[in-house]
């Protein structure tokens, strides 16, 4: 008897499974809000997990048709988008918010089609 296991990421990137629940977010607004809800240590942990696999994940996704991504591939792409949103606070700001921005925020009128 064969059993199939339903997974949420392509096999090569399954080490990132613990991050899917928090960071598989469909819009930039959701990703930014998530970033602001996390501590810098939590952001650093996520970044440290995904950054070493980022180039390989991009190369993998480049072999796919962006207009026909599987659910697994879409999750991986969204994790990469989240990594980008997290990269600035981790590498530059050293805090979740933009320094000296007070209560300011930015909003997007239109999300990229995917």
């Amino acid at each position: 008897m064969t059993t199939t296991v339903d997974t949420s990421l392509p096999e090569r990137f399954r080490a990132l499974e613990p991050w899917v629940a928090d960071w598989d977010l469909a819009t930039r607004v959701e990703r930014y809000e998530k970033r602001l809800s996390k501590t810098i240590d939590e952001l650093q942990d996520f970044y440290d997990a995904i950054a070493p696999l980022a180039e390989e994940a991009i190369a993998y996704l480049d072999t796919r048709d962006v207009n026909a991504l599987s659910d697994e591939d879409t999750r991986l792409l969204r994790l990469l988008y989240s990594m980008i949103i997290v990269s600035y606070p981790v590498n530059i700001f050293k805090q979740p918010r933009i320094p000296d921005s007070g209560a300011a925020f930015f909003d997007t009128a239109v999300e990229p089609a995917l």
Side-chain angles (χ1 to χ4, degrees):
M1 177 178 183
T2 305
T3 332
T4 57
V5 177
D6 195 18
T7 59
S8 67
L9 290 171
E11 185 174 347
R12 170 59 190 103
F13 304 100
R14 294 211 178 123
L16 299 174
E17 290 290 341
W19 306 103
V20 171
D22 272 348
W23 293 104
D24 173 24
L25 302 168
T27 68
R28 192 222 36 90
V29 170
E30 291 173 304
R31 290 185 286 275
Y32 188 70
E33 287 174 357
K34 179 60 75 173
R35 176 180 116 181
L36 295 179
S37 77
K38 298 290 188 181
T39 66
I40 192 63
D41 291 334
E42 291 169 318
L43 297 178
Q44 184 76 56
D45 289 345
F46 169 63
Y47 185 83
D48 289 347
I50 193 169
L53 297 172
E55 285 188 41
E56 185 177 349
I58 291 166
Y60 166 83
L61 290 169
D62 279 346
T63 68
R64 304 296 194 247
D65 178 355
V66 73
N67 296 310
L69 290 176
S70 68
D71 290 345
E72 291 179 346
D73 292 344
T74 299
R75 283 185 204 93
L76 180 60
L77 180 62
R78 288 177 179 170
L79 288 181
L80 288 171
Y81 289 163
S82 292
M83 183 197 74
I84 293 165
I85 271 278
V86 166
S87 68
Y88 289 96
V90 167
N91 293 314
I92 298 169
F93 308 146
K94 307 300 183 201
Q95 63 185 22
R97 290 195 162 275
I98 299 169
D100 303 320
S101 63
F105 68 94
F106 62 91
D107 203 359
T108 305
V110 179
E111 285 287 326
L114 180 70

